[in-house]
Amino acid sequence: MNLGGDNLSEAFEQAALGMLAYITDLQCVEPVKTEQIEAEGHDLESLLYHFLDEFLFLFSSEPFFIAKKVRILKFDKENFRITAEGVGETFNLSKHTQGTEVKAITYSNMQIYDSIDKHECYVIVDI
């Protein structure tokens, strides 16, 4: 996945939505519930890894939450911490299409660009 935004927060948000879009068609997800996550790392790459892993965990365990929107509430680039929320609902096979299972996020060839004119994340997920 190669995703970007107007700033690094948006690039991370888009990376989460890109990963979740592998799992199901996000247009079918209703914004009825909010789940909050916290992630931390020792650098930006590990922070992105743990950020995505938190959303994957929300989907992979009860109540099988799938986010339609992801919003970073706090992004501490110095201490590598994020607080974010996902807005969506519980995944339901009778309502949501079953896409590709995302098994894990990988560090393989992970790249993060955060400059004046470029805010992008490149992540490979294991499917």
Side-chain angles (χ1 to χ4, degrees), residues 6-7 29 31 48 52-53 56 67 69 100 113 118:
D6 291 336
N7 54 52
V29 178
L48 177 58
L52 295 175
D53 197 46
L56 184 57
K69 286 184 134 184
T100 304
Y113 300 99
K118 187 175 186 178

Side-chain angles (χ1 to χ4, degrees), residues 33-102:
K33 183 178 177 185
T34 301
E35 292 282 345
Q36 190 166 340
I37 62 103
E38 292 183 2
E40 60 182 78
H42 60 274
D43 58 15
L44 282 176
E45 288 79 12
S46 65
L47 180 58
L48 177 58
Y49 176 94
H50 291 290
F51 171 72
L52 295 175
D53 197 46
E54 287 295 322
F55 280 102
L56 184 57
F57 179 78
L58 282 176
F59 176 76
S60 300
S61 60
E62 292 278 348
F64 309 110
F65 179 79
I66 186 86
K68 178 185 187 88
K69 286 184 134 184
V70 172
R71 186 171 56 138
I72 293 179
L73 306 173
K74 295 178 189 172
F75 195 138
D76 183 346
K77 288 192 240 179
E78 291 178 13
N79 296 304
F80 307 111
R81 293 184 183 173
I82 288 177
T83 302
E85 68 180 10
V87 180
E89 65 183 328
T90 299
F91 184 82
N92 181 339
L93 275 174
S94 64
K95 178 179 181 180
H96 304 107
T97 58
Q98 187 171 4
T100 304
E101 178 186 3
V102 174

Side-chain angles (χ1 to χ4, degrees), residues 8-41:
L8 195 57
S9 289
E10 284 186 15
F12 272 48
E13 291 166 353
Q14 291 303 311
L17 291 173
M19 177 187 70
L20 295 169
Y22 277 118
I23 297 169
T24 193
D25 179 1
L26 297 182
Q27 292 181 352
C28 298
V29 178
E30 297 292 326
V32 296
K33 183 178 177 185
T34 301
E35 292 282 345
Q36 190 166 340
I37 62 103
E38 292 183 2
E40 60 182 78

